[in-house]
Amino acid sequence: MLARDPSPTPPSLTPLPAEGVTIAEPAHANESYIALVWRRLKRSWTGMAGLILVVLLLIMAVFADFLAPMDPKATDVAFAPPQVMSFHDKDGNFVWQPRVYALADSADLDPVTFQPIVGPDYDHPRLLGFFAEGAPYKLLGLIPADRHFFASMDGQPVHFLGTDKFGRDVLSRAIHGSRVSLMIALTVVFIITLIGTTIGMVSGYFGGKFDVWMQRFVELVLAFPQLPLYLALTTLIPVTAPTNVFLAFVIIVMSALGWAQMSREVRGKTLALARIDYVRAAMAVGATDRRIIMQHIFPNVMSHVIVAVTIAIPTVVLLEAFLGFLGFAVKPPLISWGLMLQDTATYSVIGTYPWILSPVGFVLVTVFAFNALGDGLRDAVDPY
Protein backbone atom coordinates (compact mmCIF):
# COMPACT_ATOMS: atom_id res chain seq x y z
CA MET A 1 0.00 0.00 0.00
CA LEU A 2 1.42 3.38 -1.08
CA ALA A 3 1.75 6.10 1.53
CA ARG A 4 -0.03 9.40 0.79
CA ASP A 5 2.12 12.48 0.64
CA PRO A 6 1.16 14.55 3.69
CA SER A 7 2.00 17.86 1.98
CA PRO A 8 -0.99 19.25 0.03
CA THR A 9 -0.62 19.86 -3.71
CA PRO A 10 -0.48 23.61 -4.49
CA PRO A 11 -3.42 24.68 -6.64
CA SER A 12 -1.27 27.01 -8.72
CA LEU A 13 2.39 27.55 -9.39
CA THR A 14 1.86 31.33 -9.42
CA PRO A 15 2.34 32.85 -5.94
CA LEU A 16 -0.54 34.88 -4.60
CA PRO A 17 0.09 38.61 -4.17
CA ALA A 18 0.59 40.01 -0.73
CA GLU A 19 -2.29 41.71 1.01
CA GLY A 20 -2.85 45.24 -0.30
CA VAL A 21 -0.80 44.66 -3.48
CA THR A 22 -2.56 44.75 -6.84
CA ILE A 23 -1.27 43.15 -10.01
CA ALA A 24 -1.03 45.60 -12.89
CA GLU A 25 -2.60 44.43 -16.12
CA PRO A 26 -0.49 44.43 -19.31
CA ALA A 27 -0.16 47.90 -20.81
CA HIS A 28 -1.72 46.83 -24.11
CA ALA A 29 -4.27 44.31 -22.85
CA ASN A 30 -7.36 46.26 -23.95
CA GLU A 31 -5.75 48.39 -26.68
CA SER A 32 -8.05 49.33 -29.56
CA TYR A 33 -7.06 48.96 -33.19
CA ILE A 34 -6.70 52.71 -33.66
CA ALA A 35 -4.45 52.96 -30.59
CA LEU A 36 -2.38 50.05 -31.90
CA VAL A 37 -1.96 51.74 -35.29
CA TRP A 38 -0.99 54.99 -33.58
CA ARG A 39 1.61 53.22 -31.43
CA ARG A 40 3.15 51.63 -34.52
CA LEU A 41 3.05 54.90 -36.44
CA LYS A 42 4.97 56.71 -33.68
CA ARG A 43 7.86 54.28 -34.18
CA SER A 44 8.31 55.47 -37.80
CA TRP A 45 10.18 58.78 -37.93
CA THR A 46 9.29 59.26 -41.59
CA GLY A 47 5.61 58.66 -40.87
CA MET A 48 5.64 61.15 -37.99
CA ALA A 49 7.54 63.70 -40.07
CA GLY A 50 4.94 63.31 -42.80
CA LEU A 51 2.11 63.68 -40.29
CA ILE A 52 3.61 66.88 -38.84
CA LEU A 53 4.12 68.36 -42.30
CA VAL A 54 0.57 67.45 -43.36
CA VAL A 55 -0.85 69.16 -40.26
CA LEU A 56 1.27 72.25 -40.94
CA LEU A 57 0.13 72.33 -44.58
CA LEU A 58 -3.51 72.16 -43.54
CA ILE A 59 -2.99 74.92 -40.96
CA MET A 60 -1.29 77.03 -43.64
CA ALA A 61 -4.24 76.53 -46.00
CA VAL A 62 -6.87 77.35 -43.38
CA PHE A 63 -5.10 80.42 -41.95
CA ALA A 64 -3.50 81.63 -45.19
CA ASP A 65 -4.67 85.22 -44.72
CA PHE A 66 -3.07 85.40 -41.29
CA LEU A 67 0.18 83.65 -42.24
CA ALA A 68 0.77 85.52 -45.52
CA PRO A 69 2.88 88.65 -44.90
CA MET A 70 1.13 90.64 -47.66
CA ASP A 71 -1.97 90.85 -49.77
CA PRO A 72 -1.41 88.32 -52.61
CA LYS A 73 -2.99 90.75 -55.12
CA ALA A 74 -1.00 93.84 -54.10
CA THR A 75 1.59 94.92 -56.66
CA ASP A 76 5.06 96.35 -56.20
CA VAL A 77 8.30 96.29 -58.21
CA ALA A 78 8.21 93.53 -60.86
CA PHE A 79 10.68 90.68 -60.43
CA ALA A 80 12.11 92.10 -57.21
CA PRO A 81 14.64 89.70 -55.69
CA PRO A 82 14.05 88.08 -52.29
CA GLN A 83 14.79 90.27 -49.30
CA VAL A 84 17.09 88.64 -46.77
CA MET A 85 16.29 89.09 -43.09
CA SER A 86 19.15 90.70 -41.16
CA PHE A 87 20.07 91.20 -37.50
CA HIS A 88 22.63 93.96 -38.15
CA ASP A 89 22.25 97.68 -38.62
CA LYS A 90 24.01 99.78 -41.24
CA ASP A 91 27.15 99.98 -39.05
CA GLY A 92 27.33 96.19 -38.68
CA ASN A 93 26.21 96.16 -35.05
CA PHE A 94 24.03 93.28 -33.87
CA VAL A 95 20.40 94.16 -33.12
CA TRP A 96 17.70 91.97 -31.64
CA GLN A 97 14.82 93.05 -33.87
CA PRO A 98 15.04 91.53 -37.38
CA ARG A 99 14.85 93.79 -40.39
CA VAL A 100 15.14 93.86 -44.17
CA TYR A 101 16.72 96.46 -46.40
CA ALA A 102 14.86 97.33 -49.58
CA LEU A 103 16.81 97.85 -52.79
CA ALA A 104 17.25 101.44 -53.91
CA ASP A 105 19.30 103.40 -56.45
CA SER A 106 22.51 104.77 -55.02
CA ALA A 107 24.39 107.92 -56.07
CA ASP A 108 27.16 105.85 -57.69
CA LEU A 109 27.00 104.97 -61.38
CA ASP A 110 28.05 101.74 -63.05
CA PRO A 111 31.27 102.48 -65.04
CA VAL A 112 30.09 100.36 -67.98
CA THR A 113 26.36 101.06 -68.29
CA PHE A 114 26.37 104.45 -66.50
CA GLN A 115 23.22 103.34 -64.69
CA PRO A 116 22.69 103.94 -60.96
CA ILE A 117 24.01 101.06 -58.90
CA VAL A 118 21.18 99.30 -57.07
CA GLY A 119 21.93 98.24 -53.52
CA PRO A 120 20.39 97.86 -50.06
CA ASP A 121 18.98 101.03 -48.55
CA TYR A 122 20.62 100.91 -45.12
CA ASP A 123 19.24 104.30 -44.10
CA HIS A 124 15.61 103.12 -44.16
CA PRO A 125 15.36 99.63 -42.65
CA ARG A 126 12.00 97.88 -42.51
CA LEU A 127 11.59 96.35 -39.08
CA LEU A 128 9.95 92.94 -38.86
CA GLY A 129 7.86 91.45 -36.08
CA PHE A 130 5.15 89.03 -35.14
CA PHE A 131 1.45 89.95 -35.33
CA ALA A 132 2.21 93.03 -37.37
CA GLU A 133 -0.54 95.22 -38.77
CA GLY A 134 -1.02 94.88 -42.52
CA ALA A 135 -3.57 94.37 -45.27
CA PRO A 136 -7.10 93.79 -43.94
CA TYR A 137 -8.79 90.42 -44.42
CA LYS A 138 -11.48 88.21 -42.93
CA LEU A 139 -10.19 85.36 -40.80
CA LEU A 140 -11.92 82.13 -41.84
CA GLY A 141 -14.03 84.34 -44.09
CA LEU A 142 -15.98 85.70 -41.12
CA ILE A 143 -13.87 87.70 -38.64
CA PRO A 144 -12.43 91.06 -39.85
CA ALA A 145 -8.74 91.32 -38.98
CA ASP A 146 -5.57 93.06 -40.13
CA ARG A 147 -2.85 91.25 -38.15
CA HIS A 148 -0.31 89.03 -39.91
CA PHE A 149 1.85 86.37 -38.29
CA PHE A 150 5.21 87.82 -39.39
CA ALA A 151 5.50 90.95 -41.52
CA SER A 152 6.81 94.50 -41.66
CA MET A 153 5.90 96.49 -38.55
CA ASP A 154 5.20 99.69 -40.52
CA GLY A 155 3.08 98.00 -43.19
CA GLN A 156 5.68 98.48 -45.92
CA PRO A 157 6.06 95.74 -48.56
CA VAL A 158 8.40 92.90 -47.70
CA HIS A 159 9.20 90.08 -50.11
CA PHE A 160 10.92 87.07 -48.56
CA LEU A 161 10.69 85.12 -51.86
CA GLY A 162 10.69 88.06 -54.26
CA THR A 163 7.93 89.16 -56.62
CA ASP A 164 6.56 87.93 -59.94
CA LYS A 165 6.22 89.73 -63.27
CA PHE A 166 3.35 91.84 -61.92
CA GLY A 167 5.14 92.75 -58.68
CA ARG A 168 3.03 90.43 -56.50
CA ASP A 169 4.62 88.80 -53.46
CA VAL A 170 5.54 85.20 -54.31
CA LEU A 171 5.45 83.91 -50.72
CA SER A 172 1.98 85.32 -50.03
CA ARG A 173 0.66 83.93 -53.30
CA ALA A 174 2.18 80.51 -52.58
CA ILE A 175 0.57 80.42 -49.13
CA HIS A 176 -2.81 81.38 -50.59
CA GLY A 177 -2.29 78.96 -53.48
CA SER A 178 -2.15 76.08 -51.01
CA ARG A 179 -5.88 76.57 -50.44
CA VAL A 180 -6.88 75.86 -54.02
CA SER A 181 -4.27 73.16 -54.66
CA LEU A 182 -5.06 71.21 -51.48
CA MET A 183 -8.80 71.78 -51.88
CA ILE A 184 -8.71 70.30 -55.37
CA ALA A 185 -6.60 67.36 -54.20
CA LEU A 186 -8.73 66.58 -51.13
CA THR A 187 -12.02 66.95 -53.01
CA VAL A 188 -10.92 64.80 -55.92
CA VAL A 189 -9.52 62.09 -53.64
CA PHE A 190 -12.70 62.12 -51.54
CA ILE A 191 -14.88 61.57 -54.62
CA ILE A 192 -12.49 58.94 -55.99
CA THR A 193 -12.48 57.10 -52.66
CA LEU A 194 -16.25 57.22 -52.26
CA ILE A 195 -17.03 55.96 -55.78
CA GLY A 196 -14.13 53.53 -56.09
CA THR A 197 -14.63 51.92 -52.68
CA THR A 198 -18.38 51.50 -53.16
CA ILE A 199 -18.15 50.01 -56.64
CA GLY A 200 -15.18 47.84 -55.72
CA MET A 201 -16.85 46.30 -52.65
CA VAL A 202 -20.20 45.72 -54.36
CA SER A 203 -18.61 44.25 -57.48
CA GLY A 204 -16.26 41.96 -55.56
CA TYR A 205 -18.93 40.78 -53.12
CA PHE A 206 -21.75 39.95 -55.51
CA GLY A 207 -19.60 38.70 -58.39
CA GLY A 208 -21.32 37.01 -61.30
CA LYS A 209 -22.41 38.90 -64.39
CA PHE A 210 -22.56 42.18 -62.48
CA ASP A 211 -18.88 41.87 -61.62
CA VAL A 212 -17.97 40.90 -65.20
CA TRP A 213 -19.72 43.86 -66.80
CA MET A 214 -18.53 46.28 -64.12
CA GLN A 215 -14.92 45.24 -64.61
CA ARG A 216 -15.21 45.67 -68.37
CA PHE A 217 -16.38 49.24 -67.73
CA VAL A 218 -13.50 49.80 -65.31
CA GLU A 219 -11.05 48.54 -67.92
CA LEU A 220 -12.59 50.92 -70.46
CA VAL A 221 -11.99 53.87 -68.13
CA LEU A 222 -8.43 52.74 -67.41
CA ALA A 223 -7.73 52.34 -71.14
CA PHE A 224 -8.26 56.04 -71.87
CA PRO A 225 -5.03 58.06 -72.29
CA GLN A 226 -5.61 60.43 -69.40
CA LEU A 227 -3.40 63.38 -70.31
CA PRO A 228 -4.87 64.01 -73.81
CA LEU A 229 -8.34 63.45 -72.38
CA TYR A 230 -7.70 65.98 -69.59
CA LEU A 231 -6.61 68.57 -72.12
CA ALA A 232 -9.54 67.84 -74.42
CA LEU A 233 -12.18 67.99 -71.71
CA THR A 234 -10.87 71.13 -70.02
CA THR A 235 -10.88 73.00 -73.34
CA LEU A 236 -14.64 72.44 -73.58
CA ILE A 237 -15.19 75.15 -70.95
CA PRO A 238 -15.20 78.61 -72.55
CA VAL A 239 -12.68 81.15 -71.32
CA THR A 240 -15.49 83.48 -70.22
CA ALA A 241 -17.01 80.86 -67.89
CA PRO A 242 -17.12 81.77 -64.17
CA THR A 243 -14.17 80.65 -62.12
CA ASN A 244 -16.26 78.40 -59.86
CA VAL A 245 -17.76 76.63 -62.87
CA PHE A 246 -14.33 76.02 -64.38
CA LEU A 247 -12.95 74.75 -61.08
CA ALA A 248 -15.92 72.41 -60.55
CA PHE A 249 -15.51 71.03 -64.06
CA VAL A 250 -11.82 70.32 -63.46
CA ILE A 251 -12.65 68.46 -60.23
CA ILE A 252 -15.34 66.41 -61.98
CA VAL A 253 -12.99 65.48 -64.85
CA MET A 254 -10.20 64.41 -62.46
CA SER A 255 -12.64 62.37 -60.37
CA ALA A 256 -14.27 60.70 -63.39
CA LEU A 257 -10.92 59.45 -64.64
CA GLY A 258 -9.39 58.53 -61.28
CA TRP A 259 -11.89 56.26 -59.49
CA ALA A 260 -11.28 53.16 -61.62
CA GLN A 261 -7.89 52.27 -60.12
CA MET A 262 -9.22 52.56 -56.58
CA SER A 263 -12.18 50.36 -57.54
CA ARG A 264 -9.88 47.68 -58.93
CA GLU A 265 -7.77 47.60 -55.76
CA VAL A 266 -10.78 47.44 -53.41
CA ARG A 267 -12.38 44.69 -55.52
CA GLY A 268 -9.27 42.54 -55.11
CA LYS A 269 -9.37 42.95 -51.33
CA THR A 270 -13.11 42.20 -51.26
CA LEU A 271 -12.69 38.99 -53.28
CA ALA A 272 -10.26 37.71 -50.65
CA LEU A 273 -12.41 38.81 -47.70
CA ALA A 274 -15.63 37.30 -49.11
CA ARG A 275 -14.15 33.80 -48.73
CA ILE A 276 -13.11 34.16 -45.08
CA ASP A 277 -14.88 31.90 -42.56
CA TYR A 278 -16.60 34.62 -40.54
CA VAL A 279 -18.11 36.12 -43.71
CA ARG A 280 -19.41 32.71 -44.78
CA ALA A 281 -20.76 32.17 -41.26
CA ALA A 282 -22.63 35.49 -41.46
CA MET A 283 -24.13 34.36 -44.78
CA ALA A 284 -25.15 31.03 -43.23
CA VAL A 285 -27.05 32.64 -40.35
CA GLY A 286 -29.01 34.81 -42.77
CA ALA A 287 -27.29 38.19 -42.43
CA THR A 288 -28.26 40.67 -45.13
CA ASP A 289 -25.81 41.64 -47.85
CA ARG A 290 -25.77 45.22 -46.62
CA ARG A 291 -24.86 44.14 -43.10
CA ILE A 292 -22.10 41.82 -44.33
CA ILE A 293 -20.58 44.52 -46.54
CA MET A 294 -20.76 47.27 -43.93
CA GLN A 295 -19.96 45.24 -40.79
CA HIS A 296 -17.48 42.64 -42.03
CA ILE A 297 -15.91 43.72 -45.32
CA PHE A 298 -15.79 47.50 -45.10
CA PRO A 299 -13.78 47.72 -41.81
CA ASN A 300 -11.16 45.34 -43.21
CA VAL A 301 -10.91 47.27 -46.47
CA MET A 302 -10.49 50.64 -44.76
CA SER A 303 -6.86 50.03 -43.80
CA HIS A 304 -5.96 49.68 -47.47
CA VAL A 305 -8.16 52.62 -48.48
CA ILE A 306 -6.53 54.98 -45.93
CA VAL A 307 -3.08 54.18 -47.26
CA ALA A 308 -4.28 54.52 -50.87
CA VAL A 309 -5.74 57.95 -50.06
CA THR A 310 -2.47 59.28 -48.63
CA ILE A 311 -0.70 58.11 -51.79
CA ALA A 312 -3.37 59.46 -54.17
CA ILE A 313 -3.33 63.01 -52.74
CA PRO A 314 0.23 63.87 -53.90
CA THR A 315 -0.59 62.38 -57.31
CA VAL A 316 -3.50 64.81 -57.70
CA VAL A 317 -1.34 67.69 -56.43
CA LEU A 318 1.26 66.94 -59.11
CA LEU A 319 -1.46 66.59 -61.75
CA GLU A 320 -2.99 69.95 -60.78
CA ALA A 321 0.44 71.60 -60.88
CA PHE A 322 1.11 70.15 -64.33
CA LEU A 323 -2.29 71.13 -65.74
CA GLY A 324 -2.03 74.54 -64.11
CA PHE A 325 1.37 75.06 -65.75
CA LEU A 326 -0.28 74.32 -69.11
CA GLY A 327 -3.17 76.65 -68.25
CA PHE A 328 -5.90 74.00 -67.99
CA ALA A 329 -6.54 73.77 -64.25
CA VAL A 330 -7.21 77.09 -62.55
CA LYS A 331 -8.00 80.50 -64.00
CA PRO A 332 -7.35 83.91 -62.39
CA PRO A 333 -8.30 85.45 -60.00
CA LEU A 334 -7.86 82.12 -58.18
CA ILE A 335 -4.33 81.26 -57.08
CA SER A 336 -2.77 77.80 -57.21
CA TRP A 337 0.75 76.43 -57.33
CA GLY A 338 0.26 75.25 -60.89
CA LEU A 339 -1.00 78.64 -62.02
CA MET A 340 2.01 80.35 -60.43
CA LEU A 341 4.34 78.06 -62.38
CA GLN A 342 3.09 79.56 -65.65
CA ASP A 343 5.60 82.36 -65.07
CA THR A 344 8.42 79.81 -65.54
CA ALA A 345 7.40 78.94 -69.11
CA THR A 346 10.51 80.53 -70.62
CA TYR A 347 14.09 79.61 -69.80
CA SER A 348 15.18 83.25 -69.80
CA VAL A 349 12.87 83.99 -66.87
CA ILE A 350 14.15 80.99 -64.90
CA GLY A 351 17.77 81.95 -65.49
CA THR A 352 17.30 85.61 -64.62
CA TYR A 353 14.70 85.31 -61.86
CA PRO A 354 15.15 81.86 -60.26
CA TRP A 355 12.95 82.71 -57.26
CA ILE A 356 9.93 82.31 -59.55
CA LEU A 357 10.42 78.55 -59.05
CA SER A 358 9.52 78.86 -55.35
CA PRO A 359 6.08 77.15 -55.77
CA VAL A 360 7.96 74.00 -56.78
CA GLY A 361 9.28 73.80 -53.22
CA PHE A 362 5.74 73.85 -51.82
CA VAL A 363 4.72 71.07 -54.22
CA LEU A 364 7.76 68.96 -53.27
CA VAL A 365 7.09 69.38 -49.54
CA THR A 366 3.43 68.41 -50.02
CA VAL A 367 4.29 65.34 -52.07
CA PHE A 368 6.92 64.23 -49.56
CA ALA A 369 4.60 64.83 -46.59
CA PHE A 370 1.73 62.69 -47.90
CA ASN A 371 4.03 59.99 -49.28
CA ALA A 372 5.90 59.74 -45.98
CA LEU A 373 2.63 59.60 -44.06
CA GLY A 374 1.27 56.94 -46.41
CA ASP A 375 4.43 54.85 -46.04
CA GLY A 376 4.22 55.06 -42.25
CA LEU A 377 0.50 54.18 -42.24
CA ARG A 378 1.10 51.22 -44.51
CA ASP A 379 3.56 49.71 -42.04
CA ALA A 380 1.29 50.61 -39.09
CA VAL A 381 -1.95 49.09 -40.37
CA ASP A 382 -0.29 45.94 -41.75
CA PRO A 383 3.08 45.25 -40.07
CA TYR A 384 3.30 41.77 -41.60
Side-chain angles (χ1 to χ4, degrees):
M1 184 175 180
L2 298 176
R4 177 180 295 180
D5 188 359
S7 61
T9 303
S12 175
L13 297 178
T14 303
L16 295 176
E19 185 177 356
V21 178
T22 58
I23 300 178
E25 296 183 0
H28 310 294
N30 298 321
E31 193 172 27
S32 63
Y33 177 71
I34 296 179
L36 180 62
V37 170
W38 171 246
R39 181 162 58 87
R40 291 170 178 168
L41 180 62
K42 290 192 295 183
R43 297 176 182 174
S44 172
W45 70 269
T46 56
M48 292 302 299
L51 178 61
I52 294 173
L53 288 176
V54 167
V55 173
L56 292 178
L57 286 171
L58 294 178
I59 293 176
M60 180 180 68
V62 174
F63 300 100
D65 296 305
F66 171 67
L67 296 176
M70 291 186 57
D71 183 359
K73 299 179 182 179
T75 58
D76 196 16
V77 180
F79 289 124
Q83 296 175 334
V84 181
M85 185 170 59
S86 175
F87 286 90
H88 296 85
D89 59 12
K90 63 178 182 179
D91 298 326
N93 300 321
F94 179 81
V95 290
W96 287 103
Q97 187 170 10
R99 60 196 61 198
V100 296
Y101 297 99
L103 297 179
D105 297 335
S106 63
D108 300 329
L109 299 180
D110 187 278
V112 177
T113 62
F114 296 99
Q115 297 292 328
I117 298 177
V118 178
D121 185 8
Y122 293 107
D123 295 329
H124 302 88
R126 297 178 180 176
L127 302 180
L128 305 177
F130 292 98
F131 306 105
E133 184 177 354
Y137 61 90
K138 287 188 176 181
L139 186 63
L140 302 177
L142 300 173
I143 306 173
D146 59 358
R147 296 290 174 175
H148 297 263
F149 178 69
F150 189 74
S152 175
M153 297 299 294
D154 56 1
Q156 294 295 318
V158 55
H159 310 293
F160 296 107
L161 293 180
T163 61
D164 61 4
K165 61 182 179 182
F166 296 111
R168 299 170 300 189
D169 184 56
V170 174
L171 177 60
S172 300
R173 289 179 61 80
I175 293 176
H176 280 266
S178 64
R179 284 182 168 178
V180 175
S181 296
L182 292 179
M183 186 272 293
I184 292 177
L186 295 177
T187 305
V188 170
V189 171
F190 173 77
I191 298 175
I192 288 174
T193 304
L194 182 63
I195 298 176
T197 303
T198 303
I199 294 179
M201 286 193 303
V202 173
S203 178
Y205 175 76
F206 287 104
K209 292 184 178 180
F210 176 78
D211 181 45
V212 173
W213 286 104
M214 183 57 66
Q215 294 310 305
R216 301 295 79 77
F217 179 69
V218 170
E219 292 171 359
L220 179 64
V221 175
L222 292 174
F224 277 110
Q226 293 193 2
L227 180 58
L229 194 59
Y230 280 128
L231 302 182
L233 291 177
T234 50
T235 53
L236 295 178
I237 295 293
V239 181
T240 58
T243 305
N244 296 334
V245 174
F246 194 91
L247 185 60
F249 185 79
V250 171
I251 292 175
I252 292 174
V253 171
M254 290 185 179
S255 303
L257 298 178
W259 64 269
Q261 184 62 37
M262 176 73 75
S263 173
R264 180 63 63 86
E265 296 175 1
V266 174
R267 173 183 174 271
K269 296 285 292 184
T270 304
L271 288 175
L273 293 171
R275 292 170 174 79
I276 296 181
D277 292 339
Y278 63 81
V279 175
R280 292 184 177 273
M283 295 179 182
V285 299
T288 61
D289 295 331
R290 180 178 179 275
R291 179 178 178 81
I292 294 174
I293 293 176
M294 297 304 298
Q295 298 293 332
H296 300 289
I297 295 180
F298 180 70
N300 292 281
V301 171
M302 278 305 297
S303 60
H304 175 81
V305 171
I306 292 174
V307 176
V309 165
T310 57
I311 297 176
I313 291 177
T315 303
V316 179
V317 170
L318 288 174
L319 179 61
E320 185 277 329
F322 177 69
L323 295 178
F325 173 76
L326 298 178
F328 294 103
V330 176
K331 300 292 184 182
L334 292 180
I335 307 172
S336 73
W337 294 333
L339 184 63
M340 294 180 63
L341 291 176
Q342 286 186 358
D343 295 337
T344 64
T346 57
Y347 291 104
S348 59
V349 173
I350 299 176
T352 309
Y353 315 111
W355 57 86
I356 299 298
L357 289 172
S358 299
V360 176
F362 288 85
V363 175
L364 292 178
V365 171
T366 303
V367 172
F368 167 77
F370 282 100
N371 280 332
L373 178 59
D375 185 69
L377 283 176
R378 181 185 58 192
D379 296 336
V381 300
D382 189 11
Y384 305 107

